Amino acid sequence: MDSSPPTKRRRKTKSEGTNDKSPSSPVVVFAHGAGAPSSSDWMLRWKEMLKNALDAVEVVTFDYPYIAGGKKRAPPKAEKLVEFHKDIVKKTTDKYPAHPLILAGKSMGSRVSCMVAAEVDIDASAVICLGYPLKAMGGAVRDETLLQLTVPVMFVQGSKDGLCPLEKLETVCKKMKSHNELHVINGGDHSFKIGKKHLQTKGSTQDQAEDLAVQGVSSFVSRCLKGK
């Protein structure tokens, strides 16, 4: 887990502060999105939330080569990141061979995670997609990888995410071979940010909305692991 100082958004659970994890505790490989590295505030916050909610032995984050070391280059096509991502996954499973593998990603990282999960030599128990970028820049629906998957997938999507119109995702989900679930963050954008007026209307907070999403992820992963 990151060593940054606690903030007002920090969630604490009874699993914090202990390294005594059972073999049923998953290890998570968590990939960043196209525009920000693993050290971004968003990634650090969700890394901690996933670790606590899933009682994970570790949440492994990393930077793709195009953005590592503070580079500001445009990302390559997602397919070109698969081998690097797979290498991270294999090193992680070699380190934690007794623990179930969960792949997670934000935006582009979730798309590459699905590509990695589709590889025959990767044994993932589930994939968590946080803001899946279903719609390409030109408007085409990028569903090829999703339709190939046999690994259970959970989508967490903002209802106002322009990169993933919910009606298009729901149509794809019905076509998928793998078990899949969808948690919608009402009013959320591509990074789940909810406008103040929407929160006031609903009498809710950003933290509460994200907590509900993380609870949904935790329940989904728990069901997946019990089904193994």
Side-chain angles (χ1 to χ4, degrees), residues 27 57-58 60 90-101:
V27 61
V57 63
E58 187 175 352
V60 176
K90 289 187 175 183
K91 288 177 179 176
T92 300
T93 54
D94 285 347
K95 184 178 179 181
Y96 298 102
H99 295 269
L101 170 66

Side-chain angles (χ1 to χ4, degrees), residues 19-41:
N19 292 320
D20 299 326
K21 302 294 185 183
S22 74
S24 63
S25 296
V27 61
V28 183
V29 177
F30 184 24
H32 64 77
S38 63
S39 57
S40 70
D41 289 344

Side-chain angles (χ1 to χ4, degrees), residues 20-93:
D20 299 326
K21 302 294 185 183
S22 74
S24 63
S25 296
V27 61
V28 183
V29 177
F30 184 24
H32 64 77
S38 63
S39 57
S40 70
D41 289 344
W42 195 99
M43 284 291 294
L44 293 177
R45 189 172 75 252
W46 276 85
K47 175 182 179 179
E48 182 175 354
M49 289 194 292
L50 289 173
K51 181 173 175 60
N52 292 336
L54 302 182
D55 193 29
V57 63
E58 187 175 352
V59 177
V60 176
T61 56
F62 61 93
D63 290 342
Y64 291 114
Y66 78 89
I67 206 169
K71 297 174 184 175
K72 293 293 183 180
R73 294 185 300 190
K77 290 185 177 180
E79 293 82 357
K80 293 186 178 297
L81 299 172
V82 171
E83 286 305 314
F84 182 86
H85 195 138
K86 269 183 67 176
D87 187 56
I88 299 293
V89 170
K90 289 187 175 183
K91 288 177 179 176
T92 300
T93 54

